[in-house]
Amino acid sequence: MEHKKLKIFVLLVGLLVPTIRGGASYIFSFDGYSHIVIKEGSVHSDPKGSSIQASIDGHMLSVVFLENLGSVLVEVTDTNGGTVDVVDMYTPNGYTAYIFGTGSYIVNFTFENGDEYYGEFEVTN
């Protein structure tokens, strides 16, 4: 029964996110959708990078976790190592952040078992 509830939740979130993003396009300036490749950093267990999907659309960073991977620390930094955003959350919840400045950024994912993944992306105006 719990598995069915999770499927319904994921489906509803999948339907809701495009609706929210569509409405947000009137508020924010979007330069166009770009997929962010997720790479392995330090991985000690079975790789789960394919369960993380990330994209940048203008200044809006979106991350979707396709399965329950437990607790994850999400950290967005600029190329100089300056922290833009940090959040500790549970998967499979999604994550969105508005990146104010233009430039090169890295989104890092650190799971409670120590596994690390990252993705590099550009914000242009």
Side-chain angles (χ1 to χ4, degrees), residues 44-117:
H44 308 288
S45 63
D46 292 333
K48 300 285 186 185
S50 62
S51 297
I52 307 168
Q53 291 186 349
S55 63
I56 188 74
D57 194 349
H59 289 261
M60 187 65 66
L61 171 65
S62 299
V63 178
V64 176
F65 298 95
L66 301 177
E67 63 181 284
N68 185 350
L69 302 171
S71 177
V72 60
L73 179 70
V74 180
E75 182 177 17
V76 181
T77 59
D78 61 25
T79 54
N80 296 321
T83 301
V84 175
D85 193 29
V86 177
V87 64
D88 194 4
M89 59 181 287
Y90 288 95
T91 62
N93 293 331
Y95 166 80
T96 58
Y98 186 81
I99 310 299
F100 288 96
T102 59
S104 299
Y105 294 89
I106 301 170
V107 58
N108 296 287
F109 307 96
T110 305
F111 292 91
E112 57 193 347
N113 66 359
D115 288 355
E116 298 176 1
Y117 298 88

